[in-house]
């Protein structure tokens, strides 16, 4: 079996990388280590690059469709990695998970309807709800023993006849929780009882650490499967976000038909040659790469946790159960969010501000550890010196 090198430093500047080449725009300086945007600094796997190069040997890039082999790869991956047996007829397309969420909101609700979000949460959720003219209802997560969990009593109190949908982040971003079966069943039961559709963002499902297991929402029961739409992608797992390809799994035939209608009206269903090929190749050949990459991320987190405990104990990381995005609590410094962000920028480190994920993120920052250990170490040393 091939051993992959995740220590390799890759120069991503001058590639129109948002993470690197938009530093000046977002931080006011290009001279900082960017550990913010949720893509990794590891090379996209060689087997994916090889497949793309081979396709370029055929010098016609005309209209294409996603054939049976594409769907078969998704079916096989979800079965092997998550024990989720799906039918090919359940698979639809989206240019990205956020696009899928937004299309679902457009499909299954109307302007003025209420959509529930659970902050602190991936901030594009807010834009998808507000941008489509829906009313956003917050059901904040509860912090219990250093881990977020659902506030079910608050959820029940927030649901009204106008509430049509709940956006679920599973696994959770930025906290890194892998929701347990009991947590998901309790949430899904409330939604079933109140006829609230769940749209589940499961883009981080492959990035689960040892001791935890991702549970796709539809696997809980047939009744729950018929009341949810699941958005997934290989973009985070294999570092192929720039190929704008994700998929939507909808077990309920009526919901599937409605989503497809929304997708096809603006001709968003076509996708692109290279995104489709990259996803299929990743799911066919990527198991060993993902396993090694997750081992590397696990070591990166152990290093971060140990470093902070020794050199910067005021900063408390939320122990991740999944993802390469770590939620850091800086509240012990008693700084305003603006001053905290400025201090880190002055130190030469670019992180995501916690308040981007909702007001519940005040005092927090999100750091991306999907990078070579040397990069992470350099960033942590800068942070230590800034707060010394």
């Amino acid at each position: 079996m091939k051993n992959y090198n995740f220590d390799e430093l890759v120069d991503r500047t001058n590639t129109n990388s948002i993470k690197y080449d938009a530093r000046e725009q977002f931080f006011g300086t290009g001279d900082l280590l960017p550990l913010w945007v949720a893509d990794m600094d590891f090379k996209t796997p060689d087997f994916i690059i090889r497949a793309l190069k081979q396709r370029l040997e055929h010098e016609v890039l005309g209209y294409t469709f996603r054939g049976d082999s594409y769907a078969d790869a998704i079916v096989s991956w979800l079965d092997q990695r998550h024990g989720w047996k799906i039918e090919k007829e359940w698979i639809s397309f989206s240019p990205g998970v956020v696009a899928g969420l937004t299309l679902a909101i457009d499909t299954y609700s109307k302007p003025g309807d209420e959509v529930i979000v659970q902050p602190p949460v991936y901030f594009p959720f807010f834009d998808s709800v507000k941008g489509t003219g829906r009313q956003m209802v917050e059901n904040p997560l509860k912090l219990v023993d250093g881990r977020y969990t659902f506030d079910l009593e608050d959820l029940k109190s927030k649901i009204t006849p106008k509430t049509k949908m709940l956006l679920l982040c599973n696994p959770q971003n930025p906290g890194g929780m892998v929701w347990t079966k009991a947590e998901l069943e309790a949430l899904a039961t409330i939604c079933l009882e109140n006829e609230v559709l769940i749209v589940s963002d499961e883009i981080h499902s492959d990035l689960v650490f040892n001791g935890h297991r991702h549970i796709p929402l539809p696997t809980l029961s047939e009744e729950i499967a018929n009341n949810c739409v699941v958005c997934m992608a290989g973009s985070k797992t294999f570092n192929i976000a720039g190929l704008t390809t994700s998929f939507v799994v909808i077990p309920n035939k009526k919901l599937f038909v409605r989503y497809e209608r929304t997708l096809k009206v603006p001709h968003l269903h076509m996708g692109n040659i290279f995104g489709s090929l990259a996803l299929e190749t990743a799911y066919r050949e990527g198991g060993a790469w993902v396993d090694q990459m997750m081992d590397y991320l696990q070591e990166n987190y152990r290093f971060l946790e140990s470093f902070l405990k020794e050199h910067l104990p005021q900063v408390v990381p939320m122990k991740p159960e999944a993802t390469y995005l770590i939620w850091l609590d800086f509240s012990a410094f008693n700084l305003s969010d603006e001053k905290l962000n400025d201090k880190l920028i002055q130190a030469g480190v670019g992180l995501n501000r916690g308040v981007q994920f909702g007001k519940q993120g005040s005092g927090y920052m999100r750091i991306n550890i999907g990078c070579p250990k040397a990069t992470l170490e350099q960033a942590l040393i800068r942070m230590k010196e800034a707060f010394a």
Side-chain angles (χ1 to χ4, degrees):
M1 182 176 67
K2 179 173 180 176
N3 290 318
Y4 293 95
N5 179 18
F6 297 100
D7 286 318
E8 182 180 358
L9 297 172
V10 181
D11 183 4
R12 297 182 60 190
T13 58
N14 300 316
T15 62
N16 291 332
S17 160
I18 294 176
K19 191 175 189 178
Y20 282 81
D21 295 328
R23 284 176 288 185
E24 184 78 39
Q25 176 185 346
F26 285 92
F27 296 101
T29 175
D31 186 23
L32 50 69
L33 286 172
L35 283 80
W36 59 306
V37 172
D39 63 15
M40 299 184 289
D41 288 337
F42 308 137
K43 280 185 175 179
T44 298
D46 57 349
F47 46 87
I48 294 177
I49 300 298
R50 187 164 55 246
L52 298 180
K53 287 180 177 179
Q54 185 177 343
R55 178 60 180 84
L56 280 168
E57 292 296 322
H58 192 292
E59 297 174 0
V60 177
L61 303 177
Y63 290 121
T64 59
F65 61 90
R66 293 174 295 279
D68 286 342
S69 62
Y70 169 89
D72 288 341
I74 293 173
V75 170
S76 178
W77 182 265
L78 295 181
D79 185 15
Q80 292 175 15
R81 304 295 290 199
H82 305 299
W84 184 18
K85 298 185 184 300
I86 71 166
E87 304 292 334
K88 288 192 286 189
E89 292 73 25
W90 300 354
I91 302 170
S92 188
F93 177 77
S94 172
V97 162
V98 175
L101 294 170
T102 308
L103 288 166
I105 292 170
D106 262 335
T107 302
Y108 307 117
S109 66
K110 60 182 186 298
D113 284 345
E114 295 172 348
V115 177
I116 295 173
V117 297
Q118 299 175 304
V121 73
Y122 183 48
F123 47 86
F125 279 25
F126 309 140
D127 296 332
S128 292
V129 175
K130 295 176 181 177
T132 52
R134 275 59 172 175
Q135 298 299 309
M136 188 170 75
V137 176
E138 293 192 8
N139 167 226
L141 300 173
K142 291 192 301 185
L143 189 57
V144 180
D145 297 328
R147 180 185 184 274
Y148 287 124
T149 189
F150 300 130
D151 189 338
L152 299 177
E153 293 306 312
D154 180 72
L155 174 61
K156 292 176 188 175
S157 73
K158 298 283 178 66
I159 294 174
T160 76
K162 291 177 64 180
T163 310
K164 303 301 179 186
M165 186 180 298
L166 180 144
L167 301 185
L168 174 66
C169 199
N170 174 37
Q172 210 271 349
N173 171 17
M177 275 68 59
V178 175
W179 302 119
T180 66
K181 182 179 181 182
E183 287 173 321
L184 290 172
E185 284 180 335
L187 180 80
T189 298
I190 292 170
C191 290
L192 274 173
E193 291 171 348
N194 291 276
E195 298 183 349
V196 174
L197 179 70
I198 301 177
V199 179
S200 185
D201 169 4
E202 304 195 7
I203 195 171
H204 295 280
S205 57
D206 298 322
L207 304 171
V208 174
F209 292 119
N210 293 336
H212 302 278
R213 185 174 71 86
H214 172 69
I215 300 173
L217 191 64
T219 62
L220 296 175
S221 73
E222 185 176 351
E223 192 177 16
I224 291 170
N226 281 319
N227 190 51
C228 68
V229 170
V230 178
C231 301
M232 308 183 89
S235 52
K236 303 296 186 196
T237 311
F238 296 97
N239 215 21
I240 50 175
L243 296 177
T244 58
T245 298
S246 69
F247 59 97
V248 182
V249 183
I250 311 175
N252 184 314
K253 181 65 174 177
K254 290 182 179 178
L255 295 180
F256 181 91
V257 170
R258 291 173 64 188
Y259 176 85
E260 284 267 299
R261 189 181 302 127
T262 303
L263 179 71
K264 289 179 178 179
V265 168
H267 241 238
L268 292 175
H269 63 290
M270 295 295 290
N272 70 85
I273 295 171
F274 300 108
S276 300
L277 177 58
L279 178 65
E280 179 178 339
T281 305
Y283 282 176
R284 289 198 182 283
E285 303 182 35
W289 188 90
V290 173
D291 293 340
Q292 291 182 40
M293 187 265 295
M294 289 306 300
D295 287 342
Y296 193 91
L297 291 179
Q298 189 98 47
E299 288 303 316
N300 265 4
Y301 176 73
R302 289 192 187 110
F303 174 74
L304 174 138
E305 186 180 55
S306 175
F307 186 100
L308 292 177
K309 193 172 291 185
E310 181 178 354
H311 301 290
L312 206 53
Q314 302 94 330
V315 180
V316 182
M318 183 170 286
K319 191 174 182 64
E321 299 166 0
T323 89
Y324 48 78
L325 305 167
I326 311 300
W327 198 225
L328 301 177
D329 184 357
F330 284 83
S331 58
F333 290 109
N334 201 29
L335 293 171
S336 70
D337 294 297
E338 186 173 352
K339 287 184 177 178
L340 173 60
N341 188 53
D342 288 345
K343 194 172 185 67
L344 287 165
I345 292 173
Q346 290 164 13
V349 182
L351 308 183
N352 285 105
R353 299 175 62 175
V355 287
Q356 285 182 271
F357 303 85
K359 60 180 180 290
Q360 297 80 5
S362 181
Y364 288 82
M365 301 291 284
R366 191 189 74 174
I367 187 171
N368 181 344
I369 63 169
C371 59
K373 181 184 175 183
T375 303
L376 177 61
E377 183 175 18
Q378 189 178 359
L380 291 172
I381 290 170
R382 292 183 182 188
M383 287 165 55
K384 178 191 76 170
E385 293 172 348
F387 289 94

